[in-house]
Amino acid sequence: MAALHADVIVVGAGVAGLAAARALALGGQRVVVLEARDRIGGRTWTDTSLGVPVDLGASWIHGIDGNPLWSLASSFGIETVEFTVGSFQFDGRPIAWHAQSGARLSDADAASFVADLHTVDAALPAVVGSAPPPSTYAAAVDTVLRALRWQGDRAARVREYMAHRSEDLCGAPVTVLDAHGLDEEHVPGDEVVFPGGYAQYAAALADGLDVRLSSAVRSVTHSASGVEVRLEDGSSVTAGDVVVTVPLGVLQAGDVTFDPPLADAAAGALGRLGMGTYDKVFLRFPSRFWGDAWVVRQQGSAGVDWHSWYDMSRVTGAPVLAALVGGAGARRLETLPDAMIVEEAVEALRRMFGPSVPAPEAVRITRWADDPFSRGSYSYLHVGASPEDHDLLGTPSGRVQLAGEATWGEDPATVHGALLSGLRAAGRLLGHEVDPLALAETLAPVPLDH
Ligand SMILES: Cc1cc2nc3c(=O)[nH]c(=O)nc-3n(C[C@H](O)[C@H](O)[C@H](O)COP(=O)(O)OP(=O)(O)OC[C@H]3O[C@@H](n4cnc5c(N)ncnc54)[C@H](O)[C@@H]3O)c2cc1C
């Protein structure tokens, strides 16, 4: 890349980076976005190899009430479908629960299990609130179960559900998730997904921006007078300021270095937070065989890594099931070849739906931990970290702003958290808050200096 100079460099073309860049460009700044991959979107990534769009990264807008991500989707004119079964919800929409044997729970058994989950959820906040740090979420669940005097299968089923919740929402085993790791999990309003894929969102944000693909950044040198960003190919770009939005896992691996180093507050949080793993296995079948539930959940050891199946035909009409798996299960699957993963998946489905379950016609499997530009799926509160650590990670270091989902304490691990973190960084540079809806304005490209 020829030597370039911009007002602001944004590293990473995920939702945080694109939102920051768009806000800055609309604010009159000359902005260049440097993206390592040959595509934009980061952890929003829509694939069409199954014949219909499927989202390999984020799928849901988690809770549309008052959510700027949702308002902006409407302004961009992106079609959405209500699918309120994200956030590892256990109630509200049709969910089919299957026992260890594979047999579906009766309505009465399912209702009694769901009632147990409500009881435990109602008791958890007080226990978490009084847990002496460092305490794990697993310990908080145990405390509640002891107080309720539940034992045997009843306690085991709840414990298992809470473990899967941690793996799903945080990508982490419940035994290393801090007791406060799910404090921010609340979903005001319905959840929606995009039949045409989340990629539409990144495309709308990027429209009119100067985004340089295949431009992996290796180092950021900064002083009071400006920044110099060096790329893997040896070239460099200079600017007044830089917004770095690479994922937490990439920062923790030291793939991007800072000279001088990040401020103590950010560096401390970087060491304490965790990067979870969460993957998706999409299977396209000749036709649907899984009944009318929106989600099928397998209980017991039979479902340790294969506990949740989402009916994607509700979104695109095509007979596609998505198995979502996080934590140690996802780490294990990432070490296996596709054929072995599919074999396990089909075996798990045959346990519930019988031997006539056919082989899938096509599959698409993610490996987010193995991806060098992600190094995991999303951030979580590792035991010993504090809920403030997310926002502390976003502490500016001189002319370096950090943004991205891991820096947004109110809702980390989400696309709306990423969006708002990008707007916070842009607002700090512009000197005023940015209205998310302003991002829908048309952007006229501004050429950079060479
Ligand atoms: C499987 C999965 C499912 C999810 N489901 C949901 C969901 O349903 N709803 C939800 O709200 N959230 C979900 N999330 C989380 C959500 O996707 C993320 O929180 C959000 O997309 C993060 O955006 P970001 O801009 O912070 O980071 P990213 O999207 O990761 O963007 C960072 C960018 O930096 C680039 N980069 C990395 N290293 C370099 C480098 N050295 N130089 C230049 N560029 C670099 C990356 O390629 C990437 O494009 C999911 C995530 C995953 C993985």
Side-chain angles (χ1 to χ4, degrees), residues 12 14-16 35-37 42-43 57-60 62 217 245 404-405 414-415 418:
V15 167
E35 167 55 50
R37 294 183 174 111
R43 283 170 276 169
S59 305
W60 278 277
H62 291 305
V217 166
T245 71
E405 57 83 10
T414 63
V415 179

Side-chain angles (χ1 to χ4, degrees), residues 11-17 34-37 41-44 56-60 62 215-218 245-247 250 256 278 280 368 373 377-378 404-405 413-415 418:
V11 182
V15 167
L34 303 175
E35 167 55 50
R37 294 183 174 111
R43 283 170 276 169
T44 58
L56 304 179
S59 305
W60 278 277
H62 291 305
S215 300
V217 166
R218 286 292 165 241
T245 71
V246 303
V250 172
V256 179
Y278 179 66
K280 300 185 174 183
W368 285 101
F373 300 121
S377 301
Y378 30 74
E405 57 83 10
T414 63
V415 179

Side-chain angles (χ1 to χ4, degrees), residues 116 120 123-124 127 138-152 154-160 162:
D116 282 357
V120 172
L124 266 170
V127 169
V141 171
D142 278 343
T143 304
V144 172
L145 290 173
R146 267 197 310 277
L148 290 166
R149 298 180 190 280
W150 292 355
Q151 290 171 338
R154 190 178 193 188
R157 285 196 311 184
V158 170
R159 211 175 266 119
E160 171 189 275
M162 295 300 172

Side-chain angles (χ1 to χ4, degrees), residues 256-273:
V256 179
T257 58
F258 297 88
D259 182 17
L262 293 174
D264 287 350
L270 186 62
R272 290 186 292 272
L273 291 169

